[in-house]
C-alpha cells in the first residue's frame, strides 16, 4: 500500500467515525472534567477514553448501516463502495472500544463499568434500536450517565447528582431528535421508524426544545439547592437564554418551520445547556 493510499484509507475511516459529534462529545468530557477540578492527567485520560468510545460508536454505526446506505444512494458514506474498507472499519471499531475500556480502568472500577454501559447502550442503538419506538432510550441512558463518567473519575468517586443526570439525558433526547429530523425521508425509504419518525418532524423538534428548557431549569435549581445558596446572576441569565432560544425554536416548529434554522437553534440551546452544566462543576468542588 502506497503512502497516498494509506492516507486515503485513514481519511475515509476518519469520516466514518462521524468526526463532528465525536469531537464535540470528547471536548464536552474534557470541559466537564476541567470544570470538576479533576487533575490534568485524569482529564487527559478521560478525554482519550471518551474519544475512542465515540470512534467505536461512529465506525460501528456506518458499518452496520452500509446496506441501508447503499439502498439510499449515500455516496458520501466511505464504506458503501469498499468491502475492504468495511472490514477495516469493523476492526477499528473493536480496537477502539477495547481501548476506551482499557483507558477507563485507571480512572476507577465504577467509571469503567459505567463507560461500558454507555457504550453498550450506544452500540445497541446502532444494532437495531434506531428503528424501534424506543430509539431514544440509548441516548437517555448514554448521555444521562455521561456526567457520572466525570464524577466517577475523581479521587473520591461518586455518581453525578440527579439534576446533572437529568440534564445529560435531556441533552441526549435533543441530540437524537435533531439529528434524525433532517434524514426522515431517507430513513422512511429504508424502513427505519424510530421514535422521532413516529412523532413527525414538528413534534420531534418541539420535544427537543422542551427537554432542553426543562433541563436548564433543573440544572439551575439543582445546583443552587446543592450549594445551599441562591443561583448566581450568570446562572439565571444563561438559563433564561436557553429558555428563550428553546421557546423561539419551538414556536417556529409549531408553525411548521422545520428548516436548518430550527436544527441550529436546538443545537445552540443544547450546547449552552452543556456549558451551564460544566459551570456548575457537577457538585464536585
Amino acid at each position: 500500500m502506497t503512502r497516498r493510499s494509506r492516507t486515503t484509507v485513514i481519511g475515509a475511516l476518519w469520516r466514518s467515525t462521524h468526526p463532528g459529534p465525536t469531537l464535540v462529545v470528547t471536548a464536552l468530557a474534557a470541559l466537564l472534567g476541567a470544570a470538576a477540578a479533576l487533575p490534568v492527567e485524569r482529564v487527559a485520560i478521560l478525554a482519550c477514553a471518551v474519544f475512542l468510545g465515540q470512534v467505536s460508536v461512529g465506525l460501528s454505526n456506518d458499518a452496520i448501516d452500509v446496506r441501508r446506505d447503499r439502498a439510499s444512494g449515500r455516496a458520501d458514506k466511505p464504506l458503501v463502495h469498499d468491502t475492504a474498507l468495511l472490514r477495516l472499519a469493523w476492526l477499528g471499531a473493536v480496537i477502539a472500544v477495547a481501548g476506551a475500556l482499557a483507558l477507563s480502568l485507571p480512572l476507577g472500577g465504577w467509571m469503567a463499568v459505567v463507560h461500558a454501559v454507555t457504550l453498550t447502550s450506544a452500540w445497541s442503538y446502532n444494532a437495531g434500536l434506531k428503528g424501534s419506538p424506543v430509539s431514544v432510550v440509548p441516548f437517555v441512558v448514554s448521555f444521562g450517565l455521561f456526567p457520572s463518567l466525570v464524577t466517577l473519575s475523581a479521587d473520591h468517586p461518586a455518581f453525578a447528582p440527579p439534576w446533572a443526570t437529568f440534564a445529560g439525558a435531556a441533552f441526549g433526547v435533543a441530540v437524537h431528535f435533531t439529528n434524525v429530523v433532517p434524514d426522515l425521508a431517507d430513513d422512511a425509504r429504508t424502513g427505519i421508524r424510530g421514535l422521532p419518525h413516529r412523532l413527525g418532524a414538528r413534534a420531534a423538534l418541539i420535544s427537543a426544545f422542551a427537554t432542553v428548557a426543562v433541563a436548564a431549569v433543573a440544572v439551575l435549581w439543582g445546583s443552587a439547592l446543592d450549594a445551599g445558596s441562591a443561583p448566581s446572576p450568570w446562572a439565571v441569565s444563561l438559563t433564561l437564554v436557553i429558555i428563550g432560544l428553546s421557546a423561539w425554536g419551538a414556536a417556529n416548529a409549531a408553525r411548521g418551520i422545520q428548516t436548518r434554522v430550527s436544527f441550529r437553534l436546538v443545537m445552540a440551546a443544547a450546547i449552552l445547556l452543556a456549558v451551564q452544566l460544566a459551570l456548575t462543576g457537577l457538585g464536585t468542588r
Side-chain angles (χ1 to χ4, degrees):
M1 184 182 291
T2 66
R3 180 176 179 180
R4 182 173 181 178
S5 62
R6 282 197 300 269
T7 302
T8 301
V9 168
I10 292 172
L13 288 175
W14 173 241
R15 292 197 303 276
S16 298
T17 66
H18 298 211
T22 291
L23 293 175
V24 168
V25 173
T26 300
L28 179 57
L31 176 64
L32 291 176
L38 294 184
V40 174
E41 64 274 12
R42 283 185 172 262
V43 173
I45 295 172
L46 173 65
C48 288
V50 169
F51 173 76
L52 287 177
Q54 291 302 301
V55 165
S56 80
V57 172
L59 287 174
S60 65
N61 180 78
D62 274 19
I64 290 170
D65 278 356
V66 70
R67 289 184 180 178
R68 274 200 328 112
D69 291 337
R70 284 172 181 162
S72 299
R74 293 292 300 272
D76 58 313
K77 295 287 188 176
L79 306 186
V80 167
H81 305 293
D82 194 329
T83 303
L85 193 62
L86 177 60
R87 289 195 295 268
L88 285 175
W90 274 118
L91 178 61
V94 172
I95 291 174
V97 76
L101 296 177
L103 282 174
S104 299
L105 284 172
L107 298 175
W110 273 111
M111 190 280 184
V113 169
V114 170
H115 199 192
V117 171
T118 66
L119 292 175
T120 300
S121 173
W123 275 61
S124 72
Y125 174 82
N126 295 342
L129 287 184
K130 67 168 59 180
S132 75
V134 294
S135 62
V136 74
V137 171
F139 285 84
V140 170
V141 172
S142 294
F143 281 97
L145 290 173
F146 192 79
S148 289
L149 295 182
V150 176
T151 56
L152 289 170
S153 298
D155 290 333
H156 302 288
F159 282 90
W163 51 265
T165 300
F166 177 79
F171 184 85
V173 172
V175 167
H176 176 41
F177 284 6
T178 53
N179 275 344
V180 167
V181 164
D183 298 324
L184 289 181
D186 285 343
D187 288 344
R189 285 194 291 270
T190 54
I192 295 297
R193 291 194 71 241
L195 182 57
H197 306 80
R198 296 162 196 263
L199 291 174
R202 180 180 302 183
L205 284 172
I206 292 173
S207 299
F209 283 116
T211 55
V212 171
V214 172
V217 174
V219 171
L220 179 71
W221 175 78
S223 58
L225 194 64
D226 279 359
S229 60
S232 64
W234 69 259
V236 174
S237 299
L238 186 54
T239 301
L240 291 175
V241 170
I242 294 171
I243 292 173
L245 282 175
S246 299
W248 182 19
N252 284 340
R255 293 198 302 270
I257 304 174
Q258 297 156 11
T259 63
R260 286 287 176 183
V261 173
S262 294
F263 177 80
R264 288 168 182 161
L265 279 175
V266 75
M267 290 313 298
I271 289 170
L272 287 177
L273 174 64
V275 171
Q276 181 192 28
L277 191 59
L279 291 175
T280 67
L282 296 179
T284 58
R285 288 179 291 189

